[in-house]
Amino acid sequence: QGLLRRSVCHSLPSFGSITGACRAIQKLTRVRVVDNSALGNTPYHRPPKCIHVYNKTGVGKVGDKILLAIKGEKKKALIVGHKMPGPTMTPRFDSNNVVLIEDNGNPIGTRIRTPIPYTLRRREGEFSKVLAIARNFV
Amino acid sequence: RVSSDGKPPKFQPPPKPVIIDRKTKKEESRFLSPEFIPPRGRKDPLKYYIERKDMIQRRKVFNIPEFYVGHILAVTTANPLAGDKSSRFVGICIQRGGTGLGATFVLRNVIEDQGVEICYELYSPRIQAIEVLKLEKRLDENLMYLRDALPEYSTVDVNMKPVPRMDHEEIPVNKVQVRMKPKPWSKRWERPKYNIKGIKFELPEHKMQAAQKWSQPWLEFDMLREYDTSKIEEKIRKELSEELEK
């Protein structure tokens, strides 16, 4: 369910060409919002895209904060999984997953159904509220 | 049989029992894990010998079962960040790679509509247990096309009970033809380079024939690409059997 062209259940129109490999999250990557917030789940004619990565390098991996453009608004988000293979023993997801977040780190949604990697638990201090709403860990 | 008149029929001794010597059969077709076979190259074989000794040491302590691509495995790893300090992942093995101590295998599963793949190192000390839940070979040695197939073909029940193995001889081959999502795919699996037999291509005929343009039929006759591992395998098998008996 990574690329919107293929996911039938979302009933969104097709989005033009799809680029293949450059798989970690950087500016202009389309992401998939994984929590149950209204902003993330209401359909819109444009997919949510990353516009800035809060990182020294512009490449976001699991646990990095990014700025998303959703429904004409700017919102911060936390990366919880990407298509790029990471170190061995860490999970690689089939879509770039993201959880919407406020500036102080509070998640906007109330539940996260998709699996989250255990590596986020290392930074329990910053992400405690996000980890509290997560259901499955991988 | 026609009995001779009057006298009782001639004593027919019972047929001799056919003794199938299973032990010798097993030794001939014993499985050698692919990471033992050194890749073709000009490195000193001493390096591979030392690595194999370390691999055997690890195998003495921890049981690494025989498995192929297509088997369903459950791996428990030690994880300080997990509750109970260990985490369990169940999935289909889609690829086995690497040689020596860095041998890896990738398990794939679909959890809550999200496809997850984890690449595990066979000889990592973090792995606490590998259980084979279902023994099943597939038609290909690399199931990477499952990423572009419908998610039902990659879903494995997390609470699956291990399927008891019937024979100690053969591993069944699952000849399922997997149905794919609509194109574009991550790789052009219809091309002869990948030589995939496990997909049900629902592409039109002219596309299948256009893909054959990239076929390289001379490759199988290229003698410089040949790598005959039979003698190397025999040597390694002898080594293994000697070391494991100690």
Side-chain angles (χ1 to χ4, degrees):
Chain A
Q1 275 197 10
L3 300 171
L4 290 156
R5 181 184 269 178
R6 295 182 217 150
S7 58
V8 179
C9 51
H10 286 278
S11 67
L12 287 161
S14 58
F15 287 102
S17 75
I18 291 173
T19 33
C22 186
R23 293 109 139 213
I25 298 178
Q26 55 185 29
K27 285 191 185 183
L28 294 188
T29 41
R30 286 161 291 203
V31 288
R32 178 188 169 213
V33 175
V34 174
D35 54 19
N36 63 346
S37 54
L39 199 54
N41 291 33
T42 39
Y44 192 63
H45 55 89
R46 304 187 71 185
K49 276 191 188 173
C50 169
I51 48 182
H52 189 260
V53 181
Y54 292 103
N55 210 343
K56 287 278 170 73
T57 69
V59 178
K61 305 278 168 128
V62 174
D64 288 333
K65 290 199 186 148
I66 58 173
L67 230 204
L68 283 191
I70 302 184
K71 294 187 76 176
E73 310 170 7
K74 292 183 282 192
K75 211 73 191 181
K76 279 203 183 176
L78 175 72
I79 303 176
V80 289
H82 47 68
K83 271 179 123 180
M84 179 154 168
T88 48
M89 309 288 215
T90 51
R92 187 206 83 103
F93 297 87
D94 273 2
S95 60
N96 300 318
N97 298 338
V98 123
V99 170
L100 293 178
I101 236 178
E102 296 283 350
D103 283 337
N104 49 11
N106 296 354
I108 296 175
T110 50
R111 213 177 295 160
I112 304 175
R113 291 194 72 197
T114 45
I116 307 267
Y118 277 113
T119 40
L120 281 179
R121 277 234 171 123
R122 195 150 292 179
R123 300 204 260 168
E124 191 96 50
E126 293 173 56
F127 306 139
S128 54
K129 293 176 193 169
V130 177
L131 294 167
I133 60 173
R135 284 295 180 83
N136 315 330
F137 282 91
V138 173
Chain B
R1 293 283 170 99
V2 179
S3 57
S4 36
D5 347 53
K7 300 173 196 171
K10 198 176 172 188
F11 170 67
Q12 301 284 340
K16 278 195 174 165
V18 182
I19 304 167
I20 308 169
D21 201 0
R22 282 185 184 241
K23 270 195 178 173
T24 48
K25 252 199 182 176
K26 244 193 173 176
E27 277 177 66
E28 283 162 17
S29 60
R30 215 201 298 167
F31 172 69
L32 183 68
S33 218
E35 68 265 8
F36 280 104
I37 302 166
R40 196 166 76 141
R42 287 177 57 189
K43 283 194 173 159
D44 199 348
L46 179 68
K47 179 222 176 189
Y48 297 113
Y49 175 69
I50 297 172
E51 252 192 326
R52 261 177 273 138
K53 274 176 83 172
D54 286 336
M55 282 150 75
I56 294 164
Q57 274 298 312
R58 174 69 182 162
R59 280 190 184 234
K60 281 183 185 169
V61 178
F62 172 70
N63 170 42
I64 298 175
E66 164 189 348
F67 69 97
Y68 299 85
V69 167
H71 283 211
I72 298 177
L73 305 178
V75 179
T76 10
T77 40
N79 198 335
L81 303 163
D84 243 14
K85 301 298 174 194
S86 67
S87 66
R88 184 169 193 253
F89 186 74
V90 183
I92 307 182
C93 177
I94 52 175
Q95 183 188 276
R96 282 189 81 161
T99 48
L101 286 167
T104 55
F105 63 101
V106 182
L107 289 186
R108 179 182 168 81
N109 198 352
V110 172
I111 307 173
E112 299 272 351
D113 295 332
Q114 171 71 60
V116 184
E117 293 176 9
I118 308 189
C119 178
Y120 287 106
E121 281 168 345
L122 269 181
Y123 294 95
S124 166
R126 273 177 65 183
I127 295 187
Q128 289 167 342
I130 305 179
E131 304 149 33
V132 179
L133 295 179
K134 193 171 185 196
L135 282 124
E136 196 181 62
K137 270 198 198 186
R138 295 284 194 116
L139 293 167
D140 311 297
E141 280 186 5
N142 207 313
L143 296 178
M144 284 294 179
Y145 57 81
L146 285 181
R147 289 176 187 169
D148 300 313
L150 298 173
E152 57 191 36
Y153 294 100
S154 317
T155 25
V156 176
D157 183 21
V158 186
N159 304 319
M160 196 171 114
K161 298 285 159 83
V163 171
R165 197 173 170 187
M166 294 291 154
D167 276 329
H168 278 271
E169 302 278 354
E170 284 179 29
I171 301 180
V173 179
N174 188 359
K175 299 194 180 175
V176 67
Q177 297 273 303
V178 157
R179 290 188 60 210
M180 305 291 275
K181 291 187 200 161
K183 273 204 160 199
W185 298 329
S186 58
K187 301 262 181 217
R188 293 173 215 249
W189 302 113
E190 73 277 8
R191 295 222 174 150
K193 160 179 164 190
Y194 299 107
N195 192 20
I196 289 179
K197 295 159 197 152
I199 300 183
K200 186 177 184 185
F201 290 108
E202 280 153 6
L203 299 171
E205 266 302 313
H206 68 268
K207 295 226 165 162
M208 295 300 293
Q209 278 169 15
Q212 292 301 316
K213 268 201 292 186
W214 280 269
S215 68
Q216 295 173 312
W218 56 86
L219 271 187
E220 59 170 314
F221 303 108
D222 195 345
M223 291 175 77
L224 284 179
R225 278 175 211 260
E226 280 171 10
Y227 184 37
D228 187 22
T229 50
S230 48
K231 290 180 186 169
I232 303 172
E233 271 184 39
E234 272 176 43
K235 272 191 210 170
I236 295 174
R237 281 213 176 104
K238 263 190 193 172
E239 250 186 68
L240 272 185
S241 50
E242 282 166 19
E243 290 284 325
L244 285 170
E245 273 159 31
K246 283 184 192 171

